[in-house]
Amino acid sequence: MSDLASLEALTLEAIAAAGDEAALDAVRVGALGKKGSVSALLATLGKMEPEERKVRGASINKLKDAIVEALEARKAILKQAALEARLKAEIIDVTLPVRPSPLDTGRVHPITQVMDELAAIFADMGFSIAEGPDVETDDYNFTKLNFPPDHPARDMHDTFFFEPGPDGTRKLLRTHTSPVQVRTMLTQQPPIRVICPGRTYRCDSDQTHTPMFHQVEGLVIDKQANLGNLKWILEEFCKAFFEVPDVTMRFRPSFFPFTEPSIEVDIRCSRKDGEIRFGEGDDWLEILGCGMVHPNVLTACGIDPEVYQGFAWGMGIDRIAMLKYGMPDLRAFFENDIRWLNHYGFRPLDIPSLVAGLTA
Ligand code: DAH
């Protein structure tokens, strides 16, 4: 085989073997580039006799044409193959269902829902929201609320205490939202009308108790705030919250260190087949504790009990959520089981309001 024929055979073979456009270009440069094999052959023509150059030049050009043609043909094939591979890889199945948006799948936890409902109801009565920290001082959680240092009521609270700090005092996880009353009175001038929803902690766990739970506290301080106002507020709250036209309430004497007199409130209900209904029946259900703020508490918080008086109440949010929405086990509230949330949760844009309905 002549040198030209073997070069042609070798080059065409390399062209056929090129798997992609980059490999093909490398073959092109190797043959036709400045230092390529064909270019080297063409450079030899200059030193030849005219006769020889004519013959040799024609054959080299023929070789060059054959290579150019083969390169183009292979390039077209590779381009087509690359396009087909891309079409295959980037296939879009227009019959696939649209992915549901977070608005369709996300759910508002019943506790959040009930807190929003509380805010809507009490905002309508002119209350604002006050907040305090989960980690409290013994002073705010107990002492300023008129619990004497060794009073047994401190034990009733199953408190989680921290190790004593450098000054010897122990911080604690607040056992109720009542310390927010203290914080509010220390920082605001009467008249005061606040609700304080938040997390609370006690060392307790069963079907209706979890170590972390939620309470809402209410506080009104004014010159003439009285038990009649408190009864009206609680009644209006119960009607709005349980979405019933009437509730009957029962006020029982009780004891809390921070109120005098202290009262526990029950609401009339019926229980049939495990279902509780309010505003009917002859059963009673305890829902909250309340009373007139003790003068010692007012004094400890810098408010003159000769000028101001007030009332307060405290209620378990988890408990009223369980009652309203028929959820039997409190522990499930904090297990983050997506099936439970899908079942008991609320749609995020259905924001509770008294006008549109709390649970529209
Ligand atoms: N702090 C009380 C508790 O956790 C609840 C309570 C009762 C709060 C009476 C009050 C109140 O503000 O007046 O058991």
Side-chain angles (χ1 to χ4, degrees):
M1 204 190 283
S2 76
D3 58 342
L4 292 192
S6 71
L7 179 59
E8 180 172 342
L10 274 176
T11 313
L12 294 187
E13 203 174 291
I15 290 173
D20 57 29
E21 288 189 61
L24 186 64
D25 205 50
V27 178
R28 181 189 64 76
V29 173
L32 308 178
K34 259 192 205 151
K35 293 180 186 163
S37 50
V38 176
S39 308
L41 284 171
L42 284 169
T44 59
L45 292 177
K47 287 180 197 143
M48 288 179 190
E49 293 300 315
E51 250 340 276
E52 191 190 359
R53 185 187 307 147
K54 211 169 149 191
V55 179
R56 185 77 175 158
S59 3
I60 297 175
N61 273 324
K62 214 172 127 228
L63 163 67
K64 189 179 166 186
D65 290 347
I67 292 175
V68 169
E69 199 181 312
L71 280 170
E72 270 165 17
R74 183 71 188 147
K75 191 171 182 170
I77 290 171
L78 287 176
K79 251 204 167 112
Q80 183 64 27
L83 179 65
E84 273 165 22
R86 223 180 120 192
L87 285 174
K88 219 176 203 165
E90 293 179 10
I91 199 163
I92 296 171
D93 182 354
V94 291
T95 65
L96 276 178
V98 179
R99 231 178 254 154
S101 86
L103 274 186
D104 294 321
T105 51
R107 286 289 174 272
V108 172
H109 194 284
I111 293 291
T112 310
Q113 168 75 15
V114 167
M115 285 193 178
D116 291 346
E117 293 178 21
L118 290 166
I121 294 170
F122 284 106
D124 195 57
M125 295 194 230
F127 284 74
S128 46
I129 293 186
E131 287 181 315
D134 292 9
V135 176
E136 256 307 353
T137 61
D138 192 280
D139 187 37
Y140 285 8
N141 196 80
F142 292 124
T143 312
K144 281 196 166 43
L145 288 166
N146 200 35
F147 289 80
D150 293 315
H151 196 282
R154 289 189 189 224
D155 294 338
M156 272 160 49
H157 277 212
D158 298 321
T159 313
F160 288 110
F161 284 100
F162 290 92
E163 291 294 327
D167 64 354
T169 62
R170 290 189 297 179
K171 289 221 171 164
L172 49 81
L173 290 174
R174 67 179 179 194
T175 57
H176 51 178
T177 41
S178 304
V180 189
Q181 281 190 34
V182 175
R183 290 176 175 273
T184 307
M185 286 188 272
L186 285 172
T187 52
Q188 291 181 26
Q189 288 302 312
I192 292 172
R193 256 180 287 178
V194 290
I195 59 163
C196 328
R199 293 195 183 100
T200 46
Y201 305 83
R202 290 185 202 178
C203 188
D204 203 354
S205 184
D206 61 32
Q207 201 183 356
T208 53
H209 296 90
T210 47
M212 189 278 295
F213 57 106
H214 300 81
Q215 284 191 345
V216 60
E217 191 85 7
L219 176 70
V220 172
I221 305 285
D222 208 335
K223 287 190 174 149
Q224 279 149 12
N226 58 55
L227 279 183
N229 305 146
L230 171 64
K231 282 180 81 171
W232 180 84
I233 287 174
L234 294 179
E235 209 169 289
E236 289 305 304
F237 161 72
C238 285
K239 286 196 284 192
F241 180 74
F242 291 111
E243 300 178 67
V244 290
D246 268 312
V247 286
T248 313
M249 308 180 89
R250 186 168 75 172
F251 288 71
R252 279 184 292 107
S254 182
F255 172 77
F256 304 104
F258 35 88
T259 43
E260 182 57 44
S262 298
I263 300 163
E264 271 175 330
V265 178
D266 306 331
I267 51 177
R268 186 189 280 282
C269 65
S270 71
R271 291 176 214 245
K272 263 184 232 124
D273 309 323
E275 200 195 340
I276 298 182
R277 284 170 185 279
F278 298 102
E280 57 179 67
D282 41 28
D283 235 333
W284 295 95
L285 197 95
E286 183 192 322
I287 57 159
L288 60 92
C290 61
M292 295 301 292
V293 179
H294 198 292
N296 289 351
V297 176
L298 294 174
T299 308
C301 298
I303 290 181
D304 183 354
E306 298 299 328
V307 181
Y308 289 105
Q309 57 188 34
F311 52 83
W313 69 92
M315 190 163 49
I317 293 183
D318 318 79
R319 184 168 155 77
I320 59 170
M322 288 168 83
L323 289 173
K324 180 167 178 179
Y325 294 113
M327 296 170 289
D329 192 330
L330 181 60
R331 290 168 294 199
F333 278 49
F334 310 115
E335 277 168 4
N336 275 340
D337 185 331
I338 197 78
R339 295 162 301 179
W340 187 90
L341 263 176
N342 282 339
H343 184 75
Y344 287 113
F346 294 81
R347 294 175 58 83
L349 288 186
D350 295 343
I351 296 163
S353 85
L354 290 181
V355 185
L358 290 178
T359 45

